[in-house]
Amino acid sequence: MSSAKPAAAAARRVPLYRLAHGRSGDKGDRSNIGLVAWHPALWELLVQQVTELAVALCFAPRQPTEVKRYLLPQLQAMNFVLDGVLDGGVNDALNLDSHGKSLAYLLLDLPVLVPGHLLPLLAGPPESDHHLAGARQP
């Protein structure tokens, strides 16, 4: 009889939507994106990796003038306010999403490194992570 412990699962890089859900809105040229963890045990990981810098890098092509994060730990949620990402806002923008309603989906594709012991808490099938093979690093 062996007393060897089972090997711990290796960490995996997965898209943020496996850890949280989100919703976005707008006011003028400002967008806000709310994220809520699927499970309370994922909250600290989100706080560590979904930072103002990571979000600013994710939205770099839209050239935000400022990214501010507000933490809501009682809800295991956070809200990001991004200034200057809507091309002037609804009345000025020529882009297809002048309200910024789809910006949460862009953020939810952000790669997050998840330790092996938290992998069972993730939403969705593991096969959905195949597109991250060459993904940008947070």
Side-chain angles (χ1 to χ4, degrees):
M1 186 185 282
S2 172
S3 63
K5 294 180 182 177
R12 290 192 50 204
R13 191 167 298 281
V14 301
L16 178 57
Y17 66 79
R18 301 274 317 273
L19 289 84
H21 56 99
R23 183 169 172 101
S24 51
D26 69 287
K27 193 59 134 181
D29 198 20
R30 173 178 281 171
S31 179
N32 71 347
I33 302 172
L35 290 177
V36 182
W38 287 119
H39 191 282
L42 299 170
W43 168 244
E44 284 303 320
L45 188 64
L46 293 174
V47 172
Q48 293 167 8
Q49 294 188 43
V50 188
T51 63
E52 290 174 351
L53 177 59
V55 172
L57 291 172
C58 181
F59 286 93
R62 287 182 157 272
Q63 302 176 331
T65 56
E66 184 178 13
V67 175
K68 183 73 177 153
R69 178 176 78 168
Y70 299 91
L71 299 178
L72 304 160
Q74 301 87 346
L75 302 174
Q76 292 86 46
M78 58 182 71
N79 187 54
F80 287 92
V81 177
L82 294 83
D83 288 325
V85 294
L86 297 176
D87 295 335
V90 174
N91 294 327
D92 294 331
L94 297 176
N95 68 47
L96 294 176
D97 185 16
S98 59
H99 287 283
K101 298 299 183 190
S102 65
L103 294 185
Y105 295 104
L106 178 61
L107 181 58
L108 288 170
D109 203 37
L110 180 77
V112 177
L113 185 62
V114 180
H117 71 280
L118 293 176
L119 291 173
L121 302 177
L122 301 183
E127 308 82 56
S128 64
D129 303 334
H130 71 278
H131 70 284
L132 289 174
R136 63 192 182 274
Q137 302 296 316

